[in-house]
Each structure stands twice: as structure tokens, then as C-alpha cells.
């Protein structure tokens, strides 16, 4: 009941995203039911029916990814202070998110079943002059158990994925010495155990050395203390900001060193660094391209959907490895793009755009890499279109539109999540006098930098992926 109340009382933007999830679920359910209809109409060709069912895994994965992205941006199930006192802890909120996702996807599955029965002529007669009777097996009885099993795949996979992603995670125990042995920002050795938010290193005097008689030692053997610990307690009232070129001194140092995310609690960083998976992504991408090149010399072929030419079976494995490699390398490439924006004496605009892009790389990097994988696959499919063969059928067109739409919607949803995450930072910059035009220019610069990096990469990967099949 609580999930239904939260679903009904959500804002229009949230309701629109949930309706899009229901529409994606309806499209995927219709593809699965179309596969069932093909199997009923061709009982003497089980391998072809199994191959069509295997192709449905791609839109199913895209729909589940979009449902997870929508659940992450749902403000009604976001943890807030005081909710645990009324029984709405992290585990309960995770359950509500999974239930809301299951309701949205179940609604889409019901719509898919209704439309499928309408196309078969079960409800109001055969529509479209019986055009769908052949590939939907309208003259054969529909197995109810099989249809319900296929329709339950999307709600089950989406709700389980949401529960897995949003499950409560316990904080990792602090390591001895209060710091971890790692290379930190700008090559500093011995970074602190606490995650440093945006703007923490924006001023001089962020870290000061204590004397040899003081207590507390850092990870490198020296004593480290912040300026806030050495300064006297701050008095009431706002402190004036230092002039350009002046280092904050005394009580003002504590105010100057505050991160630009007010109200954000300090918690240990449990997210891996965005560049941690970059070597694995590049290796997987290279392995996928190598498998495609090797498979071009083999003779074992498989049927492609629609009017595509048949190709070696290893090419499909290579495409899968290439897509996984782009998804793994996406966060790291986005982080590197933010680094490049700040290279060679950056001004305020490039520095702001680069720092925000580095901070958002873990959120938008993976959806961006998946969009590049889908775009490269679409480019390769266009190159492999057989002009003498049949054109794309209705189910193939629906599947392609579904995959492209879900991946783009996931990227836009991740961008909305990143915008909400930096709302406090944006408000702090506006209070400090930053013009709104500069913030919009920084957003435009970030988008242009990502296009300049990922567009050539997508074209190169697409050309190399299509080369084994065009010989």
C-alpha cells in the first residue's frame, strides 16, 4: 500500500519516467510474445525459434537498465534523515523501490498481452486485414503458462536488479592509521579515508604540517592536520571571503576550506575510482575486436535478425565483448576527459567543467559507453543491410527502436541524477556570485568534450566491427 501511495503522489516528471518504463516493458513483452507466436507457427524449426528468443535478451537488458536508472532517481524512495524512526530504513526503501518497479513493468506486460491478443484477433476480431495472423500463429491455441512465463521475465528481472543495486551497504571498517596506502590527488601519497568533495582543495592551506611534538601522524610518517583543527572556534555571523591571491588565515580558514556541498554528511567513500576499470575495459574492447577479426576467416555462420546478411558465429561474441568493453571503459574515459579539460593553464570555465565531469564520471560514464556500443552496432547493421534481401520486419524494427530508446533514456536519466546530486554545489556557487551563464557554458563545454571524445571512438569501433562481414 505504501508503494502505491508513493507512486500516486509522485511529481509529473517522476510519473513520466515510470510510464516510459511501462512502455519499454510493453515493447519487450510484445517481442517475447512474438517469439512465442513464431514458435507456435513453426513447430518443425526449434533452432530458429530459440535464436529469436536469444535475440530478445538485448532489449530485455536495455529495459532492465532503464528501470534501474529510473529507480535510482526516484525522490520518493531516497533515504532522508528521520525516516528510520518510522520504520522506513534503507532496507524498507529498497523494498519500496523494487515494488514500484515491479508495478510499472507489470503494467507494461499487461499492455503487451492485451495488444498481442488484439493482433491475434482474440478480443475484437483480426485487425489490419489479418496481417499479423501468420507470424503470431492466430490459428493455434495460445499456451497460457508459456505466455505468462515470458511476460514475468521483465518484472522479475527489473525488480531483482533494482533490489540488488539499491541494497543497503554497510560502511567499511576504517584502516589502521586513518589513511589508506594509495596515490591520491595530483600524485599525493597516503590519501585520507574520507572522500573529499568538490571544492575541498580549492584554496591554499588545506593541509598544514604539525610540529614533531604534536599528536596524530599521517600515513607517510609525518603529522598532518587541517587548518580547521588548529583554528579557534568560529564566531557567529558570516566571515568575509579572502581577496584574490590571499591565503585564508585564522578563523576564516575553516570557512574557506568547507566543501561546496553544504549539508552533505561525511561518509567513507565506497565507490571505486572511475579509472579503476579503464584497463579492463580497454582490454575487453581489444579482445572483442580481435575475436571479430579472427571470426571473419571461419566458416560457421548464424542468422542475423531482419534483412541482415548471415555472418560468422564468432562475430556475435566479438560484438558482445566490444559492448562490455565500452561499458567498462566509459567511466574512465569520462574521467580522463575531465582531466583533459583542465590541462594547460585552465580558466575558471574549463576548471569548473572539468571538475564536475570528473565527479560525474561514475554516474554518466557507463550509460554513455553503452550508448556508444548501441550506436556502433546500429552503424554496423546499416552497413550490413543486404539490398537484395528482405527489409526489417515489424518485430526487428520494434526491437531496434526499443534498444536505442532505452539506452538514450538511461543516459538522460543518469544526467538528471547527476544534476540532482550537484544541486547543493550549484546553489553554493550561485550564492558566491557565479553567473548563471557560466554554469550553462560549463554544461555546454562538458557535452562538447564528451562528443569530441566518444563520437570518433564510436565510428572507429563500428567500422572495425563491420569489417569482418563486409569482405
Amino acid at each position: 500500500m505504501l508503494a502505491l501511495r508513493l507512486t500516486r503522489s509522485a511529481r509529473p516528471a517522476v510519473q513520466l519516467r515510470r510510464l516510459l518504463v511501462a512502455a519499454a516493458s510493453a515493447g519487450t513483452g510484445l517481442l517475447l510474445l512474438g517469439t512465442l507466436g513464431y514458435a507456435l507457427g513453426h513447430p518443425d524449426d526449434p533452432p530458429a525459434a530459440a535464436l529469436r528468443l536469444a535475440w530478445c535478451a538485448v532489449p530485455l537488458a536495455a529495459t532492465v537498465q532503464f528501470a534501474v536508472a529510473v529507480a535510482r532517481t526516484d525522490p520518493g524512495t531516497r533515504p532522508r534523515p528521520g525516516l528510520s524512526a518510522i520504520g522506513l530504513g534503507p532496507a524498507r526503501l529498497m523494498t519500496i523501490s523494487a515494488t514500484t518497479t515491479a508495478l510499472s513493468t507489470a503494467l507494461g506486460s499487461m499492455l503487451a498481452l492485451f495488444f498481442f491478443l488484439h493482433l491475434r484477433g482474440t478480443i475484437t476480431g483480426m485487425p489490419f486485414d489479418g496481417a499479423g495472423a501468420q507470424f503470431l500463429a492466430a490459428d493455434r491455441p495460445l499456451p497460457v503458462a508459456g505466455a505468462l512465463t515470458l511476460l514475468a521475465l521483465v518484472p522479475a528481472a527489473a525488480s531483482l536488479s533494482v533490489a540488488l543495486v539499491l541494497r543497503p551497504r554497510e560502511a567499511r571498517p576504517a584502516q589502521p592509521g586513518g589513511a589508506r596506502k594509495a596515490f591520491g590527488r595530483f600524485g599525493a601519497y597516503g590519501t585520507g579515508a574520507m572522500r573529499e568533495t568538490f571544492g575541498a582543495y580549492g584554496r591554499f592551506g588545506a593541509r598544514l604540517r604539525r610540529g614533531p611534538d604534536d599528536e596524530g601522524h599521517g600515513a607517510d610518517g609525518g603529522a598532518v592536520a587541517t587548518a580547521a583543527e588548529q583554528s579557534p572556534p568560529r564566531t557567529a555571523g558570516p566571515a568575509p571571503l579572502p581577496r584574490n591571491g590571499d591565503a585564508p588565515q585564522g578563523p576564516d580558514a575553516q570557512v574557506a576550506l568547507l566543501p561546496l556541498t553544504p549539508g552533505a554528511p561525511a561518509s567513507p567513500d565506497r565507490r571505486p575510482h572511475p579509472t579503476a576499470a579503464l584497463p579492463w575495459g580497454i582490454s575487453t574492447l581489444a579482445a572483442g575486436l580481435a575475436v571479430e577479426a579472427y571470426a571473419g576467416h571461419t566458416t560457421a555462420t548464424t542468422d542475423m535478425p531482419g534483412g541482415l546478411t548471415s555472418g560468422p558465429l564468432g562475430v556475435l561474441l566479438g560484438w558482445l565483448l566490444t559492448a562490455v568493453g565500452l561499458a567498462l571503459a566509459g567511466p574512465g574515459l569520462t574521467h580522463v576527459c575531465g582531466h583533459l579539460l583542465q590541462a594547460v593553464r585552465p580558466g575558471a570555465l574549463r576548471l569548473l567543467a572539468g571538475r564536475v565531469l570528473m565527479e560525474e564520471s561514475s554516474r554518466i560514464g557507463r550509460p554513455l559507453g553503452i550508448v556508444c556500443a548501441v550506436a556502433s552496432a546500429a552503424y554496423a547493421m546499416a552497413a550490413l543491410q543486404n539490398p537484395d534481401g528482405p527489409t526489417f520486419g515489424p518485430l526487428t524494427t520494434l526491437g531496434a527502436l526499443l534498444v536505442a530508446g532505452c539506452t538514450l533514456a538511461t543516459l538522460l536519466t543518469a544526467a538528471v541524477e547527476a544534476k540532482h546530486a550537484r544541486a547543493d554545489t550549484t546553489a553554493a556557487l550561485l550564492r558566491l556570485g557565479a553567473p548563471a551563464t557560466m554554469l550553462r557554458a560549463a554544461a555546454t563545454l562538458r557535452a562538447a568534450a564528451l562528443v569530441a571524445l566518444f563520437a570518433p571512438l564510436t565510428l572507429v569501433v563500428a567500422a572495425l566491427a563491420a569489417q569482418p562481414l563486409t569482405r
Side-chain angles (χ1 to χ4, degrees):
M1 291 300 296
L2 182 58
L4 290 175
R5 291 179 181 177
L6 291 176
T7 302
R8 185 180 58 184
S9 62
R11 293 178 298 179
V14 179
Q15 299 286 14
L16 177 61
R17 290 195 291 266
R18 290 171 180 170
L19 289 178
L20 290 178
V21 171
S25 176
T28 306
L30 188 59
L31 289 177
L32 293 172
L33 292 178
T35 302
L36 178 62
Y38 181 86
L40 292 176
H42 301 79
D44 55 342
D45 194 5
L51 182 61
R52 286 173 174 263
L53 183 61
W55 278 112
C56 292
V58 180
L60 176 62
T63 303
V64 170
Q65 183 200 17
F66 180 44
V68 171
V70 170
R72 288 171 59 94
T73 58
D74 193 347
T77 57
R78 189 174 303 166
R80 289 184 293 272
L83 291 182
S84 298
I86 59 175
L88 293 178
R92 183 70 181 279
L93 292 177
M94 178 268 295
T95 306
I96 293 175
S97 297
T99 305
T100 304
T101 304
L103 291 175
S104 301
T105 51
L107 175 62
S109 297
M110 292 175 59
L111 293 176
L113 179 60
F114 177 80
F115 192 68
F116 180 76
L117 295 177
H118 176 66
L119 291 179
R120 283 173 54 92
T122 307
I123 300 178
T124 59
M126 187 66 63
F128 306 114
D129 297 331
Q134 182 177 1
F135 67 93
L136 295 181
D139 55 341
R140 296 179 179 270
L142 180 67
V144 179
L148 294 180
T149 301
L150 292 177
L151 290 176
L153 288 179
V154 179
S159 58
L160 289 178
S161 300
V162 169
L164 182 63
V165 171
L166 301 182
R167 71 187 186 278
R169 295 179 175 86
E170 297 181 358
R172 296 179 181 177
Q175 298 183 3
R180 60 178 183 267
K181 300 283 187 178
F183 287 95
R185 192 176 308 186
F186 304 117
Y189 184 71
T191 58
M194 308 298 290
R195 179 174 176 82
E196 296 153 358
T197 55
F198 181 84
Y201 273 69
R203 300 185 182 276
F204 294 102
R207 294 195 175 187
L208 300 177
R209 297 277 184 179
R210 289 184 180 178
D213 298 333
D214 295 336
E215 297 179 355
H217 297 276
D220 57 350
V224 180
T226 61
E229 295 175 353
Q230 294 184 348
S231 60
R234 181 188 173 194
T235 58
L241 292 176
R243 294 173 297 178
N244 293 333
D246 295 341
Q249 302 293 336
D252 295 339
Q254 184 177 4
V255 181
L257 296 179
L258 288 176
L260 291 183
T261 53
S267 58
D269 184 14
R270 297 189 298 268
R271 293 182 302 172
H273 198 273
T275 58
L278 182 58
W280 295 100
I282 295 177
S283 301
T284 308
L285 177 60
L289 295 177
V291 169
E292 293 173 9
Y294 176 77
H297 301 282
T298 60
T299 57
T301 60
T302 183
D303 294 332
M304 298 290 182
L308 300 180
T309 57
S310 299
L313 183 61
V315 173
L316 298 180
L317 178 60
W319 282 2
L320 179 61
L321 291 177
T322 301
V324 173
L326 287 174
L328 290 176
L333 292 177
T334 307
H335 196 271
V336 171
C337 186
H339 266 297
L340 295 178
L341 274 179
Q342 304 172 78
V344 191
R345 300 177 62 86
L349 180 61
R350 286 200 293 131
L351 186 62
L352 178 62
R355 292 291 298 172
V356 173
L357 195 57
M358 290 169 58
E359 188 69 20
E360 295 177 353
S361 59
S362 59
R363 290 188 177 91
I364 66 174
R366 186 154 297 159
L368 187 58
I370 295 177
V371 168
C372 291
V374 173
S376 62
Y379 180 87
M381 289 175 65
L384 295 176
Q385 178 67 30
N386 188 3
D388 299 330
T391 59
F392 287 160
L395 295 181
T396 304
T397 305
L398 175 62
L401 293 177
L402 188 62
V403 172
C406 285
T407 51
L408 288 176
T410 302
L411 179 60
L412 295 178
T413 306
V416 171
E417 180 187 4
K419 181 181 179 181
H420 291 166
R422 66 172 187 271
D424 293 337
T425 300
T426 304
L429 291 174
L430 292 175
R431 286 196 304 267
L432 291 176
T437 55
M438 187 183 73
L439 300 180
R440 289 192 292 267
T444 305
L445 182 59
R446 292 196 302 270
L450 290 176
V451 171
L453 177 63
F454 282 93
L457 177 64
T458 302
L459 293 178
V460 171
V461 172
L464 293 177
Q467 186 177 3
L469 298 180
T470 56
R471 294 174 181 176

